């Protein structure tokens, strides 16, 4: 579990209480922290000092043992922290003074494709002669496995990948991607695992998923376009996927649950949901400080509960640390798309930054920040953390 | 690391010396073993008793520490075992009396598509109106990530998965797959990892890959056909992938290296290979004891060294325990295909078993065995182990 100096901490409210893994200056070992305001409560130290029954869960400094402990323990730890915030202040340090590292070991990583607007846009760009959506799109949440070993914490430099691509004249070239892109997504972190052969029904979502993080699924569009038929994206995605250092417990998002868009046609039984797991989140995307998009998660066609039910309906087992991401979040309006591919319409309408420069795709040195917020019933907006990364050559 | 009673052990020659992880009756902890004949040498016990400098590598009973130790250690351990076989006999037990478990923790699992014959057959069946091979096929070894968490050891029962599929009349159905298939593949087990951003060139293959296993990439063809556009196979594959309990060191296959088929057109520079990494292996597939195919690995278009170079050319990092499989091994002749999809031509020409019954695809209760052998220069054939699994409802 290595990491680099992570993202700036967003100012967390006292009911959000996201978890992180962090390293104090001069120390080698990691600790588990809880975000309060712009500080981190050192939970590893606090529970050890107090000889708390759950101290052992935090001793290793990673979220892995907590994830595996299951929903009853998640609830008890969160309740304990919320009830003892004042007393725990003695273990509080400014987040800006510590190194935030990858908070859990990613077991399997799955990326979905759950935004109708994004899928339609990509379909028009990649398959201009076909239908925007493939025939299966409204029947199941399309997804594929990505590379768990290249999931990195926010702040990790992103080296521009090289790969094969087909030029306009049909020749096959090899070199650095000319179409390096971001993808703003919401990630769902599985805690409690499941047994091989046992599907997880849509209503058991919150018994298995621990929380939410912010994901940038970096993409090399020219590599992807050449390689992805017939077995899907591979090297166009596998060079790096960045995640926020904070995992926000699902419990903190109870007030942000909303009805998802109406699904038409009705999906088959295992995808039918009575409990609403739409989420009123917004992902604000900035390139070098210029906000280029505010992508509304509320528009996602498939909910994370449906994604999990689909992922396991064939009996595939879950493990603690499985991460599944929503796919690029794009809304219907201008300035709501979660990728430069869509924002610049494959480069044909470059995006203008505050310094007057334009971007079709990312240049070396560009810094991408995706900051997530949730709007709770009543309208109050809470911060969920952010993921950032700078492109290097 | 859990497992079930594993495959019967093939009779290993004294220069093959494959590794396994096994559990003695009545014990809970696993041990690392080396296969000799039909026995297992308990390397964990042997090296501990002798206070060998590498005893610590085997204490945990998994191959993970050995994999991570790198090529120099692999060589030293293999040399030590080969030189001390007689003395180690006191730690030898019949393999039939122990439980063979998953020998290493799978980090990332990638499945390639490296047989031209297989890709052509699948193209004809899945895309009858298009070209058999996609335009990219001869330019790069196509691959995709699979689910590491559902890689299981030989002998694990395979529950028939359910999923969505499109009926002939266009309606969307959900239920148990009617087209459960096997795929005979060779798996390559990564030992030494690599750094993010650093491609592994084709000539460094044997500095990173530790050894070889046999893979059955179970597939639900009806689920796969409906879901795989545009992001590739997902639930049609992710319910289970079986691997042999034995990992044969690459060093044991030195005599089986052959020139791969001629590649036309010449691939781009990073895929050009001077050292031949074609392998003269055969995968013998049996259903309920009837041999239905003998698939020649010598026919594979892309070598495993090319697969590894491709997998990392975008800077994707390797971790110890990464597993990449060749994709289905199919030869050009009759009875050389590595899947029932091809052998029965999508069910239109069912395969007849010795008991007179026929199979388009697998039925509940069917037992599939894939046994691998290598032909060394000079013609001698050595056993590489086998993977088996029985279908349950």
């Amino acid at each position: 579990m290595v990491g680099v100096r992570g993202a700036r901490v967003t100012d967390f409210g006292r009911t959000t209480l996201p978890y992180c893994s962090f390293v104090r200056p001069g120390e080698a070992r990691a600790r588990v922290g809880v975000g309060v305001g712009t500080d981190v409560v050192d939970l590893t130290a606090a529970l050890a000092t107090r000889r708390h029954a759950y101290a052992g869960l935090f001793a290793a400094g990673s979220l892995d043992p907590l994830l595996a402990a299951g929903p009853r323990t998640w609830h008890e730890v969160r309740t304990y922290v919320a009830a003892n915030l004042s007393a725990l202040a003695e273990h509080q340090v400014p987040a800006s003074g510590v190194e935030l590292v990858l908070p859990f070991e990613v077991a399997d990583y799955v990326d979905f494709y759950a935004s109708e607007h994004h899928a339609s846009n990509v379909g028009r760009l990649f398959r201009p002669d076909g239908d925007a959506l493939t025939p299966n799109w409204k029947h199941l949440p399309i997804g594929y496995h990505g590379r768990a070993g290249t999931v990195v914490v926010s702040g990790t430099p992103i080296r521009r990948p090289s790969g094969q691509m087909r030029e306009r004249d049909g020749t096959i070239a090899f070199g650095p991607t000319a179409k390096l892109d971001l993808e703003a997504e919401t990630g769902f972190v599985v805690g409690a695992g499941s047994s091989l052969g046992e599907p997880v029904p849509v209503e058991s979502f919150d018994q298995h998923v621990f929380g939410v993080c912010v994901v940038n699924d970096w993409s090399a569009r020219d590599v992807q376009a050449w390689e992805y038929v017939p077995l899907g994206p591979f090297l166009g995605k596998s060079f790096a996927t960045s995640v926020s250092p904070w995992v926000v417990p699902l419990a903190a998002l109870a007030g942000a649950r909303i009805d998802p868009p109406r699904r038409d046609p009705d999906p088959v039984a295992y995808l039918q949901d009575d409990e609403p797991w739409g989420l009123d989140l917004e992902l604000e995307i900035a390139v070098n400080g210029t906000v280029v998009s505010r992508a509304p998660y509320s528009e996602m066609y498939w909910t994370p509960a449906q994604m999990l039910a689909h992922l396991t309906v064939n009996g595939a087992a879950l493990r603690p640390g499985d991460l599944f991401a929503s796919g690029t979040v794009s809304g219907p309006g201008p300035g709501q798309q979660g990728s430069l591919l869509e924002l610049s319409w494959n480069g044909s309408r470059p995006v203008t930054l505050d310094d007057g420069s334009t971007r079709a795709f990312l240049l070396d040195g560009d810094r991408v920040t995706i900051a997530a917020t949730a709007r709770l019933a009543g309208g109050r907006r809470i911060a969920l953390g952010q993921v950032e990364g700078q492109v290097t050559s």
Side-chain angles (χ1 to χ4, degrees), chain A residues 56-79:
Chain A
L57 284 182
F58 301 96
S62 145
L63 293 188
D64 296 353
L66 177 63
L67 293 179
R72 184 171 161 177
T73 303
W74 307 340
H75 176 72
E76 288 175 2
V77 171
R78 183 171 160 81
T79 303

PDB file of all heavy atoms in Angstrom, chain A residues 56-79:
ATOM      1  N   GLY A  56      -8.263  -3.193  17.113  1.00  0.00           N
ATOM      2  CA  GLY A  56      -7.552  -4.114  16.228  1.00  0.00           C
ATOM      3  C   GLY A  56      -7.889  -3.921  14.766  1.00  0.00           C
ATOM      4  O   GLY A  56      -7.058  -4.160  13.885  1.00  0.00           O
ATOM      5  N   LEU A  57      -9.107  -3.458  14.501  1.00  0.00           N
ATOM      6  CA  LEU A  57      -9.527  -3.248  13.109  1.00  0.00           C
ATOM      7  C   LEU A  57      -8.705  -2.155  12.438  1.00  0.00           C
ATOM      8  O   LEU A  57      -8.633  -2.098  11.219  1.00  0.00           O
ATOM      9  CB  LEU A  57     -10.999  -2.828  13.051  1.00  0.00           C
ATOM     10  CG  LEU A  57     -12.073  -3.890  13.263  1.00  0.00           C
ATOM     11  CD1 LEU A  57     -13.449  -3.242  13.097  1.00  0.00           C
ATOM     12  CD2 LEU A  57     -11.910  -5.033  12.278  1.00  0.00           C
ATOM     13  N   PHE A  58      -8.116  -1.263  13.254  1.00  0.00           N
ATOM     14  CA  PHE A  58      -7.448  -0.098  12.687  1.00  0.00           C
ATOM     15  C   PHE A  58      -5.934  -0.137  12.854  1.00  0.00           C
ATOM     16  O   PHE A  58      -5.237   0.766  12.408  1.00  0.00           O
ATOM     17  CB  PHE A  58      -8.036   1.176  13.308  1.00  0.00           C
ATOM     18  CG  PHE A  58      -9.514   1.292  13.073  1.00  0.00           C
ATOM     19  CD1 PHE A  58     -10.424   0.862  14.031  1.00  0.00           C
ATOM     20  CD2 PHE A  58      -9.988   1.771  11.869  1.00  0.00           C
ATOM     21  CE1 PHE A  58     -11.785   0.931  13.792  1.00  0.00           C
ATOM     22  CE2 PHE A  58     -11.350   1.844  11.625  1.00  0.00           C
ATOM     23  CZ  PHE A  58     -12.252   1.422  12.595  1.00  0.00           C
ATOM     24  N   ALA A  59      -5.467  -1.187  13.470  1.00  0.00           N
ATOM     25  CA  ALA A  59      -4.041  -1.261  13.799  1.00  0.00           C
ATOM     26  C   ALA A  59      -3.160  -1.257  12.561  1.00  0.00           C
ATOM     27  O   ALA A  59      -2.069  -0.686  12.560  1.00  0.00           O
ATOM     28  CB  ALA A  59      -3.765  -2.498  14.652  1.00  0.00           C
ATOM     29  N   ALA A  60      -3.623  -1.889  11.488  1.00  0.00           N
ATOM     30  CA  ALA A  60      -2.774  -2.021  10.292  1.00  0.00           C
ATOM     31  C   ALA A  60      -2.783  -0.744   9.446  1.00  0.00           C
ATOM     32  O   ALA A  60      -1.983  -0.608   8.525  1.00  0.00           O
ATOM     33  CB  ALA A  60      -3.209  -3.207   9.451  1.00  0.00           C
ATOM     34  N   GLY A  61      -3.677   0.180   9.733  1.00  0.00           N
ATOM     35  CA  GLY A  61      -3.650   1.468   9.042  1.00  0.00           C
ATOM     36  C   GLY A  61      -4.343   1.494   7.700  1.00  0.00           C
ATOM     37  O   GLY A  61      -4.300   2.503   6.997  1.00  0.00           O
ATOM     38  N   SER A  62      -4.974   0.398   7.321  1.00  0.00           N
ATOM     39  CA  SER A  62      -5.730   0.330   6.078  1.00  0.00           C
ATOM     40  C   SER A  62      -7.193   0.113   6.433  1.00  0.00           C
ATOM     41  O   SER A  62      -7.525  -0.363   7.528  1.00  0.00           O
ATOM     42  CB  SER A  62      -5.208  -0.827   5.226  1.00  0.00           C
ATOM     43  OG  SER A  62      -6.255  -1.440   4.504  1.00  0.00           O
ATOM     44  N   LEU A  63      -8.096   0.450   5.494  1.00  0.00           N
ATOM     45  CA  LEU A  63      -9.517   0.207   5.753  1.00  0.00           C
ATOM     46  C   LEU A  63      -9.907  -1.260   5.585  1.00  0.00           C
ATOM     47  O   LEU A  63     -11.048  -1.638   5.883  1.00  0.00           O
ATOM     48  CB  LEU A  63     -10.380   1.056   4.813  1.00  0.00           C
ATOM     49  CG  LEU A  63     -10.341   2.571   4.997  1.00  0.00           C
ATOM     50  CD1 LEU A  63     -11.399   3.228   4.117  1.00  0.00           C
ATOM     51  CD2 LEU A  63     -10.571   2.939   6.452  1.00  0.00           C
ATOM     52  N   ASP A  64      -8.979  -2.068   5.090  1.00  0.00           N
ATOM     53  CA  ASP A  64      -9.340  -3.444   4.731  1.00  0.00           C
ATOM     54  C   ASP A  64     -10.061  -4.211   5.850  1.00  0.00           C
ATOM     55  O   ASP A  64     -11.110  -4.816   5.604  1.00  0.00           O
ATOM     56  CB  ASP A  64      -8.093  -4.226   4.275  1.00  0.00           C
ATOM     57  CG  ASP A  64      -7.490  -3.657   3.002  1.00  0.00           C
ATOM     58  OD1 ASP A  64      -8.093  -2.748   2.405  1.00  0.00           O
ATOM     59  OD2 ASP A  64      -6.403  -4.119   2.603  1.00  0.00           O
ATOM     60  N   PRO A  65      -9.536  -4.203   7.092  1.00  0.00           N
ATOM     61  CA  PRO A  65     -10.256  -4.969   8.134  1.00  0.00           C
ATOM     62  C   PRO A  65     -11.646  -4.412   8.429  1.00  0.00           C
ATOM     63  O   PRO A  65     -12.585  -5.176   8.673  1.00  0.00           O
ATOM     64  CB  PRO A  65      -9.330  -4.846   9.362  1.00  0.00           C
ATOM     65  CG  PRO A  65      -7.980  -4.540   8.797  1.00  0.00           C
ATOM     66  CD  PRO A  65      -8.252  -3.686   7.583  1.00  0.00           C
ATOM     67  N   LEU A  66     -11.790  -3.097   8.395  1.00  0.00           N
ATOM     68  CA  LEU A  66     -13.111  -2.509   8.636  1.00  0.00           C
ATOM     69  C   LEU A  66     -14.073  -2.913   7.522  1.00  0.00           C
ATOM     70  O   LEU A  66     -15.225  -3.283   7.780  1.00  0.00           O
ATOM     71  CB  LEU A  66     -12.999  -0.978   8.718  1.00  0.00           C
ATOM     72  CG  LEU A  66     -14.323  -0.215   8.888  1.00  0.00           C
ATOM     73  CD1 LEU A  66     -15.004  -0.569  10.199  1.00  0.00           C
ATOM     74  CD2 LEU A  66     -14.098   1.295   8.795  1.00  0.00           C
ATOM     75  N   LEU A  67     -13.614  -2.854   6.285  1.00  0.00           N
ATOM     76  CA  LEU A  67     -14.465  -3.248   5.157  1.00  0.00           C
ATOM     77  C   LEU A  67     -14.985  -4.665   5.352  1.00  0.00           C
ATOM     78  O   LEU A  67     -16.169  -4.943   5.175  1.00  0.00           O
ATOM     79  CB  LEU A  67     -13.683  -3.165   3.839  1.00  0.00           C
ATOM     80  CG  LEU A  67     -13.249  -1.778   3.359  1.00  0.00           C
ATOM     81  CD1 LEU A  67     -12.473  -1.897   2.047  1.00  0.00           C
ATOM     82  CD2 LEU A  67     -14.444  -0.864   3.186  1.00  0.00           C
ATOM     83  N   ALA A  68     -14.075  -5.554   5.726  1.00  0.00           N
ATOM     84  CA  ALA A  68     -14.442  -6.967   5.840  1.00  0.00           C
ATOM     85  C   ALA A  68     -15.347  -7.233   7.035  1.00  0.00           C
ATOM     86  O   ALA A  68     -16.046  -8.247   7.081  1.00  0.00           O
ATOM     87  CB  ALA A  68     -13.176  -7.822   5.935  1.00  0.00           C
ATOM     88  N   ALA A  69     -15.355  -6.320   8.007  1.00  0.00           N
ATOM     89  CA  ALA A  69     -16.091  -6.571   9.251  1.00  0.00           C
ATOM     90  C   ALA A  69     -17.608  -6.553   9.078  1.00  0.00           C
ATOM     91  O   ALA A  69     -18.335  -7.136   9.885  1.00  0.00           O
ATOM     92  CB  ALA A  69     -15.669  -5.546  10.310  1.00  0.00           C
ATOM     93  N   GLY A  70     -18.095  -5.881   8.035  1.00  0.00           N
ATOM     94  CA  GLY A  70     -19.523  -5.949   7.744  1.00  0.00           C
ATOM     95  C   GLY A  70     -20.341  -4.817   8.334  1.00  0.00           C
ATOM     96  O   GLY A  70     -19.854  -4.022   9.144  1.00  0.00           O
ATOM     97  N   PRO A  71     -21.606  -4.734   7.906  1.00  0.00           N
ATOM     98  CA  PRO A  71     -22.426  -3.539   8.145  1.00  0.00           C
ATOM     99  C   PRO A  71     -22.703  -3.237   9.612  1.00  0.00           C
ATOM    100  O   PRO A  71     -22.825  -2.071   9.981  1.00  0.00           O
ATOM    101  CB  PRO A  71     -23.723  -3.833   7.369  1.00  0.00           C
ATOM    102  CG  PRO A  71     -23.705  -5.285   7.054  1.00  0.00           C
ATOM    103  CD  PRO A  71     -22.278  -5.714   7.027  1.00  0.00           C
ATOM    104  N   ARG A  72     -22.803  -4.240  10.458  1.00  0.00           N
ATOM    105  CA  ARG A  72     -23.080  -3.953  11.869  1.00  0.00           C
ATOM    106  C   ARG A  72     -21.895  -3.204  12.485  1.00  0.00           C
ATOM    107  O   ARG A  72     -22.074  -2.212  13.200  1.00  0.00           O
ATOM    108  CB  ARG A  72     -23.341  -5.267  12.614  1.00  0.00           C
ATOM    109  CG  ARG A  72     -23.715  -5.023  14.041  1.00  0.00           C
ATOM    110  CD  ARG A  72     -24.173  -6.296  14.719  1.00  0.00           C
ATOM    111  NE  ARG A  72     -24.085  -6.118  16.162  1.00  0.00           N
ATOM    112  CZ  ARG A  72     -24.462  -7.006  17.046  1.00  0.00           C
ATOM    113  NH1 ARG A  72     -24.967  -8.173  16.624  1.00  0.00           N
ATOM    114  NH2 ARG A  72     -24.357  -6.777  18.329  1.00  0.00           N
ATOM    115  N   THR A  73     -20.706  -3.661  12.164  1.00  0.00           N
ATOM    116  CA  THR A  73     -19.503  -2.991  12.681  1.00  0.00           C
ATOM    117  C   THR A  73     -19.364  -1.594  12.082  1.00  0.00           C
ATOM    118  O   THR A  73     -18.983  -0.650  12.777  1.00  0.00           O
ATOM    119  CB  THR A  73     -18.263  -3.841  12.365  1.00  0.00           C
ATOM    120  OG1 THR A  73     -18.453  -5.135  12.931  1.00  0.00           O
ATOM    121  CG2 THR A  73     -16.993  -3.214  12.948  1.00  0.00           C
ATOM    122  N   TRP A  74     -19.650  -1.450  10.792  1.00  0.00           N
ATOM    123  CA  TRP A  74     -19.579  -0.119  10.170  1.00  0.00           C
ATOM    124  C   TRP A  74     -20.458   0.855  10.952  1.00  0.00           C
ATOM    125  O   TRP A  74     -20.053   1.983  11.244  1.00  0.00           O
ATOM    126  CB  TRP A  74     -20.055  -0.150   8.710  1.00  0.00           C
ATOM    127  CG  TRP A  74     -19.368  -1.164   7.854  1.00  0.00           C
ATOM    128  CD1 TRP A  74     -18.159  -1.773   8.095  1.00  0.00           C
ATOM    129  CD2 TRP A  74     -19.851  -1.705   6.623  1.00  0.00           C
ATOM    130  NE1 TRP A  74     -17.878  -2.650   7.079  1.00  0.00           N
ATOM    131  CE2 TRP A  74     -18.894  -2.624   6.170  1.00  0.00           C
ATOM    132  CE3 TRP A  74     -21.003  -1.506   5.859  1.00  0.00           C
ATOM    133  CZ2 TRP A  74     -19.045  -3.355   4.984  1.00  0.00           C
ATOM    134  CZ3 TRP A  74     -21.167  -2.218   4.679  1.00  0.00           C
ATOM    135  CH2 TRP A  74     -20.186  -3.134   4.246  1.00  0.00           C
ATOM    136  N   HIS A  75     -21.663   0.394  11.270  1.00  0.00           N
ATOM    137  CA  HIS A  75     -22.609   1.242  11.996  1.00  0.00           C
ATOM    138  C   HIS A  75     -22.087   1.571  13.390  1.00  0.00           C
ATOM    139  O   HIS A  75     -22.158   2.731  13.843  1.00  0.00           O
ATOM    140  CB  HIS A  75     -23.963   0.540  12.075  1.00  0.00           C
ATOM    141  CG  HIS A  75     -24.980   1.276  12.889  1.00  0.00           C
ATOM    142  ND1 HIS A  75     -25.582   2.431  12.460  1.00  0.00           N
ATOM    143  CD2 HIS A  75     -25.474   1.034  14.136  1.00  0.00           C
ATOM    144  CE1 HIS A  75     -26.416   2.873  13.384  1.00  0.00           C
ATOM    145  NE2 HIS A  75     -26.364   2.044  14.419  1.00  0.00           N
ATOM    146  N   GLU A  76     -21.560   0.590  14.072  1.00  0.00           N
ATOM    147  CA  GLU A  76     -21.095   0.815  15.448  1.00  0.00           C
ATOM    148  C   GLU A  76     -19.908   1.779  15.492  1.00  0.00           C
ATOM    149  O   GLU A  76     -19.843   2.650  16.358  1.00  0.00           O
ATOM    150  CB  GLU A  76     -20.728  -0.526  16.100  1.00  0.00           C
ATOM    151  CG  GLU A  76     -21.971  -1.363  16.421  1.00  0.00           C
ATOM    152  CD  GLU A  76     -21.629  -2.746  16.958  1.00  0.00           C
ATOM    153  OE1 GLU A  76     -20.420  -3.056  17.115  1.00  0.00           O
ATOM    154  OE2 GLU A  76     -22.575  -3.515  17.217  1.00  0.00           O
ATOM    155  N   VAL A  77     -18.980   1.611  14.553  1.00  0.00           N
ATOM    156  CA  VAL A  77     -17.807   2.495  14.545  1.00  0.00           C
ATOM    157  C   VAL A  77     -18.232   3.930  14.223  1.00  0.00           C
ATOM    158  O   VAL A  77     -17.812   4.882  14.891  1.00  0.00           O
ATOM    159  CB  VAL A  77     -16.755   1.995  13.531  1.00  0.00           C
ATOM    160  CG1 VAL A  77     -15.641   3.036  13.355  1.00  0.00           C
ATOM    161  CG2 VAL A  77     -16.173   0.660  13.989  1.00  0.00           C
ATOM    162  N   ARG A  78     -19.085   4.073  13.234  1.00  0.00           N
ATOM    163  CA  ARG A  78     -19.555   5.412  12.856  1.00  0.00           C
ATOM    164  C   ARG A  78     -20.316   6.078  14.002  1.00  0.00           C
ATOM    165  O   ARG A  78     -20.129   7.273  14.275  1.00  0.00           O
ATOM    166  CB  ARG A  78     -20.433   5.287  11.599  1.00  0.00           C
ATOM    167  CG  ARG A  78     -20.931   6.608  11.051  1.00  0.00           C
ATOM    168  CD  ARG A  78     -21.590   6.393   9.686  1.00  0.00           C
ATOM    169  NE  ARG A  78     -22.466   7.499   9.359  1.00  0.00           N
ATOM    170  CZ  ARG A  78     -22.044   8.671   8.862  1.00  0.00           C
ATOM    171  NH1 ARG A  78     -20.768   8.859   8.630  1.00  0.00           N
ATOM    172  NH2 ARG A  78     -22.914   9.633   8.598  1.00  0.00           N
ATOM    173  N   THR A  79     -21.140   5.322  14.670  1.00  0.00           N
ATOM    174  CA  THR A  79     -21.898   5.851  15.805  1.00  0.00           C
ATOM    175  C   THR A  79     -20.953   6.279  16.926  1.00  0.00           C
ATOM    176  O   THR A  79     -21.116   7.334  17.539  1.00  0.00           O
ATOM    177  CB  THR A  79     -22.884   4.777  16.315  1.00  0.00           C
ATOM    178  OG1 THR A  79     -23.724   4.386  15.229  1.00  0.00           O
ATOM    179  CG2 THR A  79     -23.722   5.306  17.469  1.00  0.00           C
TER     180      THR A  79
END
